Amino acid sequence: MKLLRADFGASYLWRTDLGSFQHGFGFNMNPLNPNSYDDWYQFRDPMTAKLRQRRRASFVEEVLPRRDMLRTEFYNDFLARDGLDHGINMFVFDGDRDLVRLPDLAGCRTPGIRPADGFRRRPRMGAAQS
């Protein structure tokens, strides 16, 4: 997550045999959140399955409009607990086999970035820093 310069992040292993994500870990998140995702929120997550189908890095807003996301249990009871407002998800595959899910999540605590700006104003990796 530090390599991606994520404010927050989490990763989960997709288990095809179980049809679910397992063994989550979080970065700069409440340490209980990965387990609550494993046990409950992945089954109420309105965006991750759609993002996974894209098989490329995608903004959450590409599959779920922000105004709709803000009305969900997933956002209000899970993401908002850590101040997560917007994100990019990247799924890495080896052929048809899932290797990893890497969400890069940003929140209101991102200096100089308003939640509505999303990632579009964040400095790109390798860009000169002042």
Side-chain angles (χ1 to χ4, degrees):
M1 297 299 159
K2 288 183 181 183
L3 178 62
L4 297 172
R5 294 188 353 200
D7 296 321
F8 309 91
S11 184
Y12 299 88
L13 175 65
W14 175 255
R15 293 281 308 269
T16 302
D17 57 327
L18 299 175
S20 65
F21 289 102
Q22 303 289 313
H23 311 295
F25 77 89
F27 171 72
N28 282 342
M29 295 175 66
N30 178 321
L32 301 177
N33 274 358
N35 288 339
S36 67
Y37 186 85
D38 285 352
D39 297 340
W40 180 261
Y41 289 104
Q42 72 173 304
F43 307 109
R44 284 139 186 89
D45 180 341
M47 62 193 87
T48 300
K50 295 173 187 174
L51 290 160
R52 184 174 171 263
Q53 288 174 351
R54 296 172 69 90
R55 297 180 66 98
R56 61 180 166 79
S58 300
F59 291 105
V60 169
E61 291 84 3
E62 292 179 73
V63 300
L64 182 66
R66 182 172 173 74
R67 69 182 177 281
D68 295 342
M69 180 188 72
L70 295 176
R71 295 181 187 129
T72 66
E73 172 190 9
F74 183 70
Y75 174 78
N76 288 291
D77 295 344
F78 181 70
L79 296 176
R81 286 183 182 174
D82 285 317
L84 306 178
D85 293 303
H86 46 276
I88 298 173
N89 273 245
M90 179 176 65
F91 292 83
V92 180
F93 291 86
D94 179 14
D96 289 333
R97 192 175 121 221
D98 287 72
L99 297 178
V100 71
R101 170 189 176 203
L102 294 171
D104 178 5
L105 306 163
C108 341
R109 295 179 270 183
T110 308
I113 305 295
R114 296 175 308 133
D117 292 335
F119 287 87
R120 289 158 180 83
R121 288 190 38 218
R122 287 179 69 176
R124 299 200 187 279
M125 288 179 60
Q129 300 290 315
S130 53

